Amino acid sequence: MLTETDQKIDIKSLTLPELQQVLTDMGEKAFRAKQMYQWMHEKLAGGYEEMSNLSVALKEKCQEKFWYCSLGIVQVQESKLDGTRKYLFALRDGNVVESVWMKYKHGNSVCISSQVGCRMGCRFCASTLDGLERNLTPSEMLEQIYAITKHTGERVSNVVVMGTGEPLDNYDNLLRFLKLLTDENGLNISQRNVTVSTCGIVPEIKRLSREGLQITLALSLHASNDEKRRKLMPIANKYSIQELMEACEEYFRHTGRRITFEYSLVGGVNDTDEDAEELSRLAGKLCCHVNLIPVNPIKERDYVQSEAKRVLAFKNKLERNKINVTIRREMGRDIDGACGQLRRKHIQETKP
Ligand code: SAH
């Protein structure tokens, strides 16, 4: 498959064998493909002009035939609390997307967006308020990581697809992105260091489980019964928790990878002792880990965080039920940390 934009081939979304094919069709030697691939995906070249071992003639042919994806940095916000950086990038059609860079003891992690906007409609999330604009190409997903690597001058070791968008709603591009990201001729990031987070599209979870990947699947659960989940997440009207659990079990069976359940605690909504008991019963049946996230309030909705002692009580209850649980350390609280906030603010400020 070739991803075409304006009839030009999106060169950064091609796998190495595909690039070999295209270049040999152009009358070039096959070894050029590997050179160019490494320039793009390993050395993170900003354009053909940096590819010092290519002839001027070939560079010109490439300009003609391909689109070379690159992102413009619109804004960088750095947290004074923990060094987390939030990037706002401009795409070539004028849309903007956001990504986050987080520094941990075990390495640097980047959280990327998979779509411009989102159509999943989760009630507490800022990314979905204006719906879906379009899917991101594999190259646009990669470029978020490449641009941040160049800007920070530091290697990225972990990637989480947890920014704006529903990755499994952009399945083919996501898969191609994962292939390129973990390719030995590119950044060569270990599949085990990549996490894809989904609101729970059951058929796509099942499909993903059969791709032979070693990535971590994170499921945004946020409620432990269907009734409550439907109030928070429209996707719950389509798939029941029972169906979701079966899909997760299938994912574990095929991949051997422990599932992460994300559970955003919303004050008075999903944070009671009974919720914790119900969640324990679900989680107890699977090889999983529960990540509790104090909800990040957005101004468009009146959801509030659970009180700190409620969060602890919730966690203790899960622990007593022998569930593996952590509370997500909040990073970048001072810099519009919640999903989609930075992009939204930018759009509102620049609207004519
Ligand atoms: N669409 C994917 C990935 C993007 S959201 C998904 O649903 O998983 C990444 C995570 O942040 C999800 O668990 C999402 O539910 C959660 N999230 C979104 N907005 C939030 C907010 N305001 N506070 C806390 N968590 C939020």
Side-chain angles (χ1 to χ4, degrees):
M1 186 201 89
L2 302 184
T3 318
E4 307 232 357
T5 314
D6 295 347
Q7 270 72 55
K8 285 194 178 185
I9 297 171
D10 171 7
I11 190 169
K12 275 196 194 167
S13 290
L14 298 181
T15 61
L16 180 54
E18 286 168 346
L19 185 60
Q20 266 158 358
Q21 186 64 51
V22 179
L23 286 178
T24 48
D25 288 349
M26 286 162 66
E28 295 294 329
K29 296 252 171 17
F31 75 88
R32 290 279 174 226
K34 193 159 174 184
Q35 286 179 335
M36 289 188 72
Y37 190 92
Q38 287 173 330
W39 275 117
M40 291 187 285
H41 299 289
E42 195 185 327
K43 298 178 210 162
L44 313 184
Y48 307 114
E49 65 283 355
E50 290 177 32
M51 304 183 183
S52 52
N53 52 3
L54 302 189
S55 70
V56 175
L58 177 56
K59 288 178 193 171
E60 277 169 7
K61 270 205 268 182
C62 288
Q63 291 284 11
E64 191 104 319
K65 186 151 181 102
F66 303 118
W67 165 54
Y68 197 95
C69 173
S70 65
L71 303 180
I73 296 182
V74 177
Q75 198 185 339
V76 186
Q77 289 184 334
E78 182 163 349
S79 164
K80 290 182 185 67
L81 305 173
D82 50 40
T84 296
R85 288 188 202 171
K86 194 140 189 179
Y87 289 83
L88 190 69
F89 291 114
L91 308 174
R92 75 173 203 158
D93 60 4
N95 278 308
V96 291
V97 289
E98 58 189 81
S99 325
V100 187
W101 182 74
M102 290 157 287
K103 219 172 154 64
Y104 294 100
K105 279 193 212 81
H106 63 266
N108 300 320
S109 187
V110 169
C111 171
I112 66 150
S113 295
S114 55
Q115 295 179 313
V116 182
C118 181
R119 57 180 182 144
M120 295 298 135
C122 299
R123 297 286 300 160
F124 43 81
C125 180
S127 294
T128 195
L129 291 168
D130 294 316
L132 175 69
E133 186 66 39
R134 70 167 172 88
N135 283 329
L136 291 184
T137 61
S139 53
E140 287 167 334
M141 289 188 245
L142 285 171
E143 235 356 85
Q144 296 171 54
I145 299 155
Y146 296 178
I148 290 176
T149 302
K150 287 200 276 188
H151 188 260
T152 58
E154 292 188 36
R155 189 180 152 77
V156 169
S157 51
N158 293 270
V159 172
V160 296
V161 188
M162 279 191 191
T164 296
E166 168 49 45
L168 299 189
D169 189 36
N170 185 14
Y171 191 93
D172 293 338
N173 286 346
L174 174 79
L175 234 75
R176 184 173 276 272
F177 157 76
L178 293 172
K179 249 191 224 162
L180 295 165
L181 180 70
T182 58
D183 189 282
E184 57 174 7
N185 288 302
L187 280 192
N188 196 10
I189 291 180
S190 160
Q191 286 186 4
R192 290 169 170 260
N193 293 348
V194 179
T195 298
V196 170
S197 176
T198 177
C199 64
I201 306 180
V202 166
E204 306 296 38
I205 294 174
K206 293 185 173 181
R207 195 168 154 203
L208 190 66
S209 73
R210 295 188 297 267
E211 301 282 1
L213 295 171
Q214 280 292 296
I215 58 170
T216 299
L217 179 73
L219 176 73
S220 300
L221 196 57
H222 305 323
S224 41
N225 65 58
D226 287 320
E227 199 189 331
K228 279 196 184 181
R229 196 164 188 265
R230 284 183 198 128
K231 290 200 179 118
L232 293 170
M233 307 173 73
I235 191 74
N237 292 302
K238 201 154 176 197
Y239 307 108
S240 68
I241 290 180
Q242 177 61 31
E243 288 171 294
L244 266 178
M245 293 303 123
E246 283 164 20
C248 288
E249 217 175 86
E250 197 170 319
Y251 190 86
F252 177 71
R253 208 170 343 110
H254 285 289
T255 63
R257 301 289 294 161
R258 185 177 78 163
I259 309 283
T260 298
F261 286 142
E262 289 161 283
Y263 196 102
S264 294
L265 287 163
V266 188
V269 173
N270 62 1
D271 64 348
T272 64
D273 280 346
E274 208 186 341
D275 291 313
E277 285 298 344
E278 228 171 348
L279 178 58
S280 303
R281 281 195 291 277
L282 287 176
K285 293 189 195 132
L286 279 168
C287 178
C288 71
H289 163 253
V290 175
N291 201 201
L292 298 175
I293 314 163
V295 81
N296 207 332
I298 57 172
K299 67 174 193 307
E300 291 81 359
R301 302 273 187 257
D302 48 16
Y303 292 122
V304 294
Q305 283 194 347
S306 307
E307 282 172 38
K309 65 175 197 295
R310 185 87 292 272
V311 175
L312 271 181
F314 198 94
K315 175 173 178 260
N316 289 339
K317 194 121 210 141
L318 290 174
E319 273 173 346
R320 271 201 300 279
N321 291 328
K322 308 253 179 322
I323 305 299
N324 212 310
V325 55
T326 46
I327 299 175
R328 180 180 298 169
R329 190 152 65 94
E330 280 187 88
M331 300 197 51
R333 270 228 73 163
D334 52 337
I335 52 166
D336 298 317
C339 241
Q341 279 185 334
L342 182 60
R343 169 172 175 263
R344 197 171 160 75
K345 203 158 124 191
H346 174 83
I347 294 172
Q348 285 171 345
E349 282 167 5
T350 54
K351 240 197 302 220

